[in-house]
Structure formats: C-alpha cells, structure tokens
Amino acid sequence: MKPAPFNYIKPSSIGDALAALGEHPEAVLLAGGQSLLPMLNMRLVAPSHVIDIGALPAMNEVSIADGWLRMGALLRHCDLAASPTVAEAAPLLQAAARHIGHPAIRNRGTIGGSLALADPAAELPACLLALGGRLVIEGLDGERVVEAAAFFTGTFETALRRDEILRAVEVPVLAPKYRSEFHELARRLGDYALVGLAAHGQIDNGGVHDLRLAFFAVGDKPALAVAAARSLEGKSLSEANIAAAVALLADDIHPIGQPGYGERTKLHHCGVLVKRALSRMAA
Amino acid sequence: MSDTPPHGPLHAVLDRPNSYIGRSVPRPNVRRLLQGRGNYVDDIRLPRMVHVAFVRSPYAHARIDGIDTAAALNSPGVVAVVTGAELAEYCTPWVGVLSHLAGLKSQPQHAIAIQKASWQGEAVAAVVAETRAQAEDGVDAVQVQWTELPIVADMETALDDQTPVIHPDLGDNLAWQRSFEAGDVDAAFAAGTVVDEEFSFGRHTGVTVEPRAILSSYEPAEGRLTVHHSCQAPHMMQNIFATHLGLEEHDVRVICGDVGGSYGIKVHAYADEMATAALSVMLRRPVKFIADRLESFLTDIHARDHRVRARMAISESGKILGIEIDDLTGIGPYSVYPRTSGIEANQIVNLTGAQYTCGNYRAKTTVVFQNKVPMCQYRAVGHPIATAVTEGLVDAAAAAIGMDPIEVRRRNLIPDDAYPCTAATGLSFEGLSHHRALARLVELMDYDSLRAEQERLRGDGIYRGIGIATFIELTNPSAMFYGVGGARISAQDGCTLRLDAKGNVICTTGVTEQGQGAEAVMAQVTATAVGVTIDKVRVITGDTDVVPYGGGTWASRAAGIGGEAAVQAGKALRENILKVAGIILQAEPETLDIREGRVVDGADGNDRIGLDEVGRIAYYRADTLPKDFQSELVATRHYVPKLFPFAFTNGVQASWLEVDIETGFVTLLKHWAVEDCGTVINPQLVDEQIRGGVVQGIGGALFEHCLYDDHGQLLNGSMMDYLTPMAAEMPDIEVAHVETPTADSELGAKGAGEAGTAGAPAAVLNAINDALMPLDVRLNIHPATPERILAALGTVG
Ligand SMILES: Cc1cc2nc3c(=O)[nH]c(=O)nc-3n(C[C@H](O)[C@H](O)[C@H](O)COP(=O)(O)OP(=O)(O)OC[C@H]3O[C@@H](n4cnc5c(N)ncnc54)[C@H](O)[C@@H]3O)c2cc1C
C-alpha cells in the first residue's frame, strides 16, 4: 500500500494551480487528502503530478452576500460544523457535517474535496441538492457557476473539467419558515451511510411547501424524490400523508444494492428515513 | 466496573506476605507502548535489508501459464523477482494434517504457488527491492499469463458430482469428516418436544492492529537464520523454519518482540512468511515483509464459516433429552500448517452441549475445500459456534415448552458438586461452577427487573431482548491438543529465574507477550514466589536463543502454564537463595524467608539481610563461603498439565439490547460476563481479556463478515467495508468472577483469553430472538445484519 511515484507541486495562487493543471494532463489536485491519499496508496490512481492546493489563500472563508451563503472549497468539515454563520444560514449543512467520517477526517477533509470527489454515499452533495445550491468553478478562462442538480453526473463524476478547480459553494440563506432534517443510517458511528436523506421544505399554515427530499448512498449520485415530495405540496404532514408519499418512493428512487444490503432493503430504509424526517419536521 | 474477586483457596506458595496474586498491577511494558516506543518488527532496520512485496492472484482459481519478470527486473530498486519454482529450491512444501484428526487430507503447499493459484490473494511471485514502494512498483510490472479455472465457492455444493475438484491428486474436495454418537439419541428425540434449527456463521478474520510482520536475516558464514517475527509461538516457528529451509534447529533463532495483537491469526505458518525467510537464505541478506491491510484481508487466516443443522429434544419438565448437530464448513484450498483446519470443526463436535447433563448426543462434521482464503484457528476456536448452537437450541426449546430460559438452564447444567465428571463427548472436567456463575449473573443483571422492564416497553412498541449464554472454554491444553497428532508444538513451558548480584530477578519464559499482558502476569508470579517486589523483576520473552523451550501463547495457556512454571522456578530459586543466606547468617534455611527482597526470620519477620547482599557475597566473595558449597542463584522449572488433557473453564454471559424493527438495527445496551478462570492473577488484565473477547464475539454476531461473490472474490477486504466492532457501538460490559482453581497446578490458574468470544455471539443472537419473540420470528444467522433481521421479520423479501 505505497503510492506509485509522483511529482509534488505546491502552487501559491489559484492561477499557478490552474496553470500547473493545464501543463500536466495526468495531474490531480490534493486538498485535505482524506480520499486522495487512500486512493494513491491503494494505487487506484497513479497521477504524474499531485498539485497541493491545501494552502491556497482565501479559499476557506464563510460569508453571506445577496441572500447566499458562500463557503470556500477549502473549508474543512470541522469548521463547517463549528461555524455559527453556517448554523444559522444553513442548519442542514451543520447537521450533515457531524456525520462525515470521524473527527480526524473532519479535521483535514474539505467540503470542496467532498463535492469534487462526488462519492455517491457522501453527505454534502445531497445537502446541496436539497438546498438548491450551486458551485463556483474556476478555470483558466474564468469562473462559471453550475447548479448542484447539474453538477453531480455519476459515481465520482461531476461537471468539473479536469483543468478546473472548484472554488466555492453557495446555498440560499435559510428563508422564513423553512426547516430541514438530516437523517442517515450507518452501521457504525462515522461510517459512510448505508443510506441517507437530506430534507428541506417550508412549513406554513399547517402544510408543507417546496419540499425537497434528497437521498444519498442510493445510486450513482444523490437523488431527489420528486414525486413523493410533490405529493405532499400544501398538505399537512399527517401520518397518512407521509405514508402515501413513502409509497411513491419506489417510482422516484431506484437504489443500487451493495454486498449484504440489497436494493429492496435500501428502498425500505429510504421510506423509514422519510417517515422519521417528516414526522420531526411536523413536530 | 469489575468486582474484586473473592479469593478461592489459594495455595500456600502464593499466600505470602508480599503476594501480587489477585492484584491489578500495571504491566511492565505499558508505559513504553503508550509512549509510542514499542519496537515492532517494522521498526527494526538491519544493514543491507531489502523488502519483499508479492504478486498475488487476482483470481480465486487460475493456472499460471507464464510469468514475465523482465520489466520488473528493470524497475528502479528491484533486487530480485522470484517465482514459486525458483523458491522451491530453498523451501520444501508442507501438508497441514495431524494424525489424531484421522482421515484429514490436504495438498502440499509451497511458499509461493507454482502451477496454479487456489485463492484470490495467493502469492505467485515475489519482488524484492530496496524499499517497499519499489517492490510494489516491481509487482505492478510483473506480467502473469493466467488461465482461469472453474471455482469452488459454495461449501454446500463442494462435494457434488458436478463440482470440479480443486486438487485432482486428492480425488475430491472433502478434507475431513467426523461422526460421533453417545447414548440413545433416537429414543431421546422420540420422547420429547423437538426443536429444529439451522444456524449459519459468516467467515470473519482477526484484524490485528499490527499486521503480520517478519524480518528474516541469514548469515551464510555460520549457516544461521535470525527471524524477527510477530508471532505467538517462536519455538514452533523455529522448528518449521529449520525443517523447511533445511537448517539445524539450533541454527534458527526466532525473536518475537513487541506484538500488536494476534488473536490466533499469528500462530500459523504463512506461505508469504515462509517465502520471506527462504528469500533471505537465497539472497543472503535481510528481507522484510510487512503485510499491508489489503493483503491482510486476502491472506490472514479466516475463521468460522459454518452451517449447522441442529435439533434438541426436551421434556415437559425442561429436561434436555437429546442433541443432534450436522456441521458443514469450507476451509479454503489448503488445510493450514501446522495446526490444521480441522480443529474448529472438531471443537464444535466436542463442545456442543457439553455444559449440560444430557448424555444423548449425535454429531457430524464435514470439512470441505473451496477457493477462498484458508481458514484456521482464531480466538475461541469453535466455541462461539458450539455455544451459539447449544444456547440457541436451549432458548428455542425453552420457548417451545413455555419455560423461562434461566430455569431451563438451571435444570440442565452439570451440578457444581458433580465433579470430576465426563461429558457425553468424552471431555473430562475437573471442576466447573455453572450454577454459581449463573446465580451471580442473575443477581448482577437484576434479571427479574429487566424482564419487567422488557414487558413494559413492549407495550410502547419497543423491542428489547435478554440473551443468556452458558459455555465452557478449553484452556491450558496438554499434548492431547496438537502434540499427540504429530505436531511439533510444545504443550510444556519453562521458566528460568536468575538472581543478579544486586538482588534483582531476571525471568525468562517460553510464553510470549502479544499485548495481552503475559509479562505482567509472569512478573507477578515471580515476585510472589521468590519474595521480591515486582519492580525487581525483569521479564524476557520471545527469543528462542534465550528463553526456555515452550509453546508460546495460544489456547489461553500463557498464564496457566507459563505462570505455573514461574511458580515452581520461584520456589526453587527461593530455596537456593536461602541456602546461601543460611550459610551467611549461620541459620537453618528452613527458618528463613524472603519478603520484599530481604531475607527475614520466617517466624517473626525480623530483617536479616538483603538479597543484594546475598548476591554480592555469592558472586564476588565466594571465597568467604565454605569450600564444599556452591551457590546456584538460578533455577529452571517446566510445567505441563498432567491430571487432565485440558483445564476447562466455564462462564455465562448475558446481553441486553434493543431491535429497531423498522430499520433492523440493533442497539446493544448492556453486556454481563461471569466467568471462572480459576485463580485470578491480575483482575484488570482478566477483565480486559474478557471485554476484548466479548467485543470480538459481538463482531462476529453483528458486524464482521468476509463477503464473497460466486467467483470467489472477496468483496469487502478493506477497513472501509469490513466492519470491525468499534467503541461507539459497544455496550458497557460488566465482568465478575467465580474462582475454582485447578488442582493440576499450585497456581490454580486456568485460561481467560477466549471466554469472552466464546459466549458473546450466543448471548447477542439469543437476545435478538428474545426481543423479536412477540413477533414470532427466529433468526440464527451470524452476523445478524439489519437486512437479515428485516428479512426474518418479513419486511423485505
Ligand atoms: C475513514 C474515512 C471515512 C470517511 N467518511 C466519510 C463520510 O462518512 N462521508 C463523506 O462524505 N466523506 C467521508 N470521507 C471522505 C472525506 O470526507 C474526504 O475529506 C472528502 O471526501 C474529500 O475531501 P478532501 O479535502 O480530503 O479531498 P482530497 O482527498 O484531497 O481530494 C479528493 C478528490 O477531490 C479532488 N479535489 C479536492 N479539492 C478539489 C477542488 N477544490 N477542486 C477540484 N477538485 C478537488 C481531488 O483531486 C481528489 O480527486 C471519509 C474518509 C475516510 C478516510
């Protein structure tokens, strides 16, 4: 479990980092290293160059502007969890951060790394989907913004091009009467989830509006349960209404099983999570 | 949270003023290890040392058509690329059979596979390089031409006519079969209520914190091999290296320094470790091999993987009338050397039902070959299976006749005053305490209140369960375990104690330190038996050039066997010291004693002379002693159990847990263990052995499982996917003791290392079934995963 030989570059500006990426077609970016280093050691990847962006300036800041919460890509999971600004503007992200690995991993792992890697079982991609977030991407020819819904394209696949850097993430600041719930099932504390749900919606006049149910660890990328969510639009979160929505999940979600944990069990668990999340939202 | 054990009748030799027996003294090595100053094999660097990495088969069964090493040889830092045929010149193959497992057969196994690979992960070539990374680069450059062969994955069909035979020379895939019958089983089943269950136990493995590690160095000028080896049985390995590398035994030195856990994983002869030793002879330079975590999953022995069909007949009054089991296990393509892969199955036959008086017992076990990682002995060999089957049947039978599970056990456990006695399976018991242990457990867990709480919560839709598991544990084995079958594994152990000129005692012993605290126990026993304070004792283990010949650490034997050798050596050294002191003091040696490092008058404890002074005179001023007297301030004694083939221990565990019937998740709330390991030498070390053992048992019951696909590919061979039990999910584990010392030794200590693992899976599965009883569901599959629980509940198909 030793990595194949590679060259190491530590640029001091994002421009230098982009230039290095352009120059070396077989290079990879290194942020917190919590996913990349195991992949290198297991020789799942063998890049010619590792470009360490961990120390790039001004890429781990949290700020609010124009109704959007903006978080630098190098923000670490532990800082995401501890930020009062995040807790207020996007409590879903704070709730999710606690479920990412163990403290040692959260101390180094970055939100940008998690989103750029796009592990289907990762928490943050589903949260972005639930919140309607967007990703700020920097390339040699400038910046572009991609909606979360268009960013995650498959297992470990995103809209990021190989010569681009994810610079920041933005989500709308929590609007009045919006609530969110984060639930996941994992066999052991800190494990990647067997299955998880990020739920977000508005509770008003006894009814739920604009509900988004984003699942992770179900398929090749985070998935919104559109029909189930729509069926509840404007309705109360009564046991019967929730049960009816759960029954629609089979149309929305087509889980991929894993060894010892088949798709039927996964789908059943999705239903349990919806029930638990929505009952709490209603409370 | 453990009770200070109420002492059983201690023998006079240990009931001394400065006794350390029954005291939780800290281990001598703990400060060093906790400061990160351990010296593990990987920390050792020798001049001219090179590293080996292995080319491993990606297929479970494939013929090697060719190995192209040219590119690898050109890879930077690569020193040699060696194939199986080349290495066979230096290392002879072995066959893992023992004569007392009559009929057990296996194929000769080479250090590196020659014609074909028989499991995914078997080494087919070695790349030796200046660094491990360069060796791995070299591995990537080796090209192997393979032809895939048909795979035997499922043990259920391994013996079918259509199934290919893995080793054509053997004729079939049957490794071993054993049948046993006692009493009148058919009559028993005709007479009572019968419960019929099928149990299955997933393959799992030991996951030592320190992986397997070996550094072998050959000195051609002397023909001597020195092997730094993370292992459990240095003398056994000395014999094996000598035998297969063509060396004299005394020319092989095995040094077993700090070991980061073993659990039975490190008590076998591994092909890649044999290859490393052979490479050091071939290349005439030190070669290091440290298994990385991925290859650990593919090469460390696996264990369990049994399917047991079982029946029990019970009378209306709760008397167990008969037990019948039919066990099947798949052990991989080879029986592992030298202990064989038949022992776990044999243990299941021997141990099932053996805590109960029932004399009608029929058992059969079938051991088959398959293309998966070889299976062999891992902590509590066979016990978790025998216990889960027995105790699962008892609970099912109790439910069938509507009797409380504790009551059924009370009515069937061998009475505490019935010893010595012999079980239906022929095991002989010197003295066990099932009833006292059960009574202690019931009191400890407040059984009746727990039942009331369970009932109350069921009303709220909360499903909690209580699981009880009584068990016996085989410890302190005599030569009847391995030696009798031809294995060159010592059941005896020795201890040498030497008084130095400053009054300190140097203890060398054949048992080894695995991180479990064996050295602390040896120091306690030595200090007590000689009469010095423990800080004066230095314990040396794990060096075949230095320590007395012995078996090492396995089968819960270190404290009981190595400890008794230390007791006897301590007595002898004390006597020798007092002879010298008697001359110096002009007193009869019998009137003197040694306490806290000083010679005193035995009658009143009056201080006479320090051991440092005795040492000074004996070593430096022998001229002042009589001419006809020679002092001998060193003593060696050996011990092997003689009265009984094994010192059986007993215990009982209970699990209290909650099943979330919506998700199938189990939350462990509490675990209790009462066990009887005879004399408790160090309560803290015993309690932690029990706790650690319980955790590994829980691992097998709920989490750990080597998952294979139909192609014999391991699907979860990493720490990410293979679920070892972790602290956050573990319950508080309360431990208590009953002490029934063995009369086989003066120390009276039996083993404690495996009791936790023996009982925990049964307790947990019984608790799950107890929780689900109102839903009329039973589940006998280990590990009991959420999906399996939901399937049993009918929630998912
Ligand atoms: C034991 C363990 C448990 C874990 N459990 C979880 C868990 O439960 N949930 C979870 O979500 N994650 C988990 N992780 C992964 C962890 O969250 C990682 O931190 C995260 O996936 C990657 O972040 P990183 O900063 O470490 O990225 P790195 O490992 O440095 O990089 C990961 C990938 O992203 C790319 N990358 C990184 N930053 C950027 C960027 N700014 N722009 C473009 N590409 C970039 C890299 O090139 C690389 O391909 C776990 C990891 C471990 C080791």
Side-chain angles (χ1 to χ4, degrees), chain A residues 27-257:
Chain A
V28 294
L29 296 173
L30 169 69
Q34 296 305 291
S35 297
L36 184 62
L37 292 193
M39 293 191 301
L40 285 170
N41 286 343
M42 294 190 219
R43 298 190 177 222
L44 296 173
V45 291
S48 67
H49 291 73
V50 168
I51 304 171
D52 184 351
I53 58 169
L56 289 187
M59 262 183 64
N60 61 355
E61 286 154 8
V62 175
S63 60
I64 290 180
D66 305 329
W68 288 82
L69 169 71
R70 180 182 170 104
M71 294 154 287
L74 291 178
L75 184 69
R76 292 166 194 260
H77 301 313
C78 60
D79 295 327
L80 178 74
S83 161
T85 312
V86 173
E88 209 160 292
L92 181 67
L93 292 177
Q94 194 205 26
R98 286 196 297 269
H99 291 271
I100 303 175
H102 308 271
I105 287 139
R106 297 197 288 271
N107 285 345
R108 294 207 73 93
T110 65
I111 63 168
S114 182
L115 295 164
L117 184 67
D119 188 313
E123 285 81 1
L124 294 181
C127 292
L128 283 210
L129 213 54
L131 296 174
R134 61 194 190 195
L135 297 102
V136 183
I137 296 169
E138 184 116 352
L140 273 175
D141 39 351
E143 193 177 282
R144 66 187 180 111
V145 175
V146 178
E147 298 294 318
F151 183 77
F152 302 103
T153 54
T155 305
F156 300 117
E157 278 174 21
T158 68
L160 260 181
R161 289 193 289 265
R162 66 146 303 281
D163 57 356
E164 292 178 321
I165 295 177
L166 177 61
R167 184 172 193 132
V169 190
E170 298 181 339
V171 296
V173 170
L174 190 70
K177 298 185 179 163
Y178 272 79
R179 300 176 71 163
S180 39
E181 283 289 327
F182 187 88
H183 289 256
E184 73 173 50
L185 291 173
R187 291 300 311 280
R188 304 173 305 177
L189 187 75
D191 277 356
Y192 272 106
L194 288 179
V195 63
L197 169 66
H200 188 67
Q202 193 189 38
I203 305 284
D204 200 10
N205 283 328
V208 64
H209 306 276
D210 189 21
L211 179 65
R212 264 164 293 168
L213 301 170
F215 287 97
F216 54 101
V218 285
D220 65 343
K221 55 185 178 191
L224 284 173
V226 179
R230 194 180 297 133
S231 77
L232 289 164
E233 180 60 36
K235 292 195 189 148
S236 77
L237 290 177
S238 66
E239 245 177 73
N241 288 341
I242 294 174
V246 166
L248 293 174
L249 283 179
D251 301 331
D252 278 335
I253 307 291
H254 306 284
I256 300 172

Side-chain angles (χ1 to χ4, degrees), chain A residues 1 43 189 262 265 268 275, chain B residues 136-137 292 662 724 729 787:
Chain A
M1 251 205 260
R43 298 190 177 222
L189 187 75
T265 311
H268 165 76
K275 201 172 106 180
Chain B
E136 290 187 23
D137 294 344
D292 73 24
E662 266 187 338
T724 51
E729 287 70 40
E787 175 157 278

